Amino acid sequence: IDLGALVIDVPLVAKLEGLVVDAEDRPVSEASVGTSWTIEGDMRNPWRGATTDEAGRFSFTDEVYDAKQPWSLLVFDAERKRCALMIWTAETWKEPRTIRLEPAIRVHGDYMVEGTTAAPSWTNTMVSSHAEDLGIAENLRNLCIVQVRSTAGRFELQLPAERAVERPRRDE
């Protein structure tokens, strides 16, 4: 009996390493570096990632299923006042990168149930960008940068200003 072909997606393991610096190119220790972030209440930590050492260096691995698929790497200093966003693919991250932090922008808002003055009992706000909008790829999935969970019907997060967003170069 021929059962046909069996297709198994095996993830690639991408090694992400680099240096986090401030606007004056000084190393930033204790910065949180991550590819998947969830904010819930005062907890603002990555699911997968690393913390920079005293010299501002980080290194960790992450699984990817498509070397051309873009992923986000969001970085915050320990005080969550400065941040940066790097868009990467397994194809373009071939050597350690330097990531420069800039002052973060506060993004916040409240949800209301239509026709009432009540807030919903649970919300999940996702901040994402489409790969085409980032100018790096066509016909690829939306790129989730961070999600905020709340039982109070509100969201608040910090994001980098446009100048603190690095995209892969098309020639990489």
Side-chain angles (χ1 to χ4, degrees):
I1 296 175
D2 182 2
L3 298 178
L6 175 65
V7 177
I8 300 174
D9 284 331
V10 178
L12 303 169
V13 176
K15 183 174 184 180
L16 306 173
E17 57 185 342
L19 173 67
V20 177
V21 298
D22 64 14
E24 289 78 38
D25 289 328
R26 295 180 299 231
V28 178
S29 64
E30 300 299 315
S32 296
V33 181
T35 57
S36 179
W37 287 77
T38 296
I39 298 172
E40 194 163 356
D42 290 336
M43 292 177 38
R44 288 172 163 76
N45 296 308
W47 283 0
R48 295 183 304 272
T51 302
T52 58
D53 63 16
E54 193 173 283
R57 300 196 182 286
F58 67 90
S59 178
F60 67 100
T61 59
D62 202 357
E63 295 179 351
V64 298
Y65 289 87
D66 182 345
K68 295 179 181 181
Q69 186 68 50
W71 296 89
S72 64
L73 183 75
L74 190 57
V75 183
F76 285 99
D77 66 0
E79 296 79 28
R80 306 297 195 250
K81 304 258 188 229
R82 298 173 294 167
C83 63
L85 173 65
M86 179 174 281
I87 309 302
W88 63 279
T89 69
E91 286 184 335
T92 61
W93 196 300
K94 296 179 180 165
E95 57 190 44
R97 298 288 184 103
T98 298
I99 300 170
R100 181 169 287 106
L101 300 182
E102 298 283 345
I105 302 169
R106 179 177 173 245
V107 180
H108 60 99
D110 295 302
Y111 291 100
M112 300 294 283
V113 176
E114 188 174 350
T116 73
T117 59
S121 61
W122 190 85
T123 59
N124 187 26
T125 305
M126 296 183 76
V127 176
S128 63
S129 182
H130 194 277
E132 289 181 34
D133 295 336
L134 294 169
I136 59 172
E138 296 177 6
N139 301 318
L140 295 173
R141 68 172 173 82
N142 286 338
L143 179 63
C144 181
I145 297 167
V146 64
Q147 64 179 341
V148 183
R149 296 178 180 160
S150 171
T151 56
R154 60 181 34 169
F155 67 94
E156 180 178 338
L157 64 145
Q158 289 76 28
L159 291 172
E162 174 68 22
R163 67 180 174 272
V165 177
E166 182 180 331
R167 299 161 180 85
R169 295 178 295 276
R170 287 193 181 264
D171 62 338
E172 289 186 296

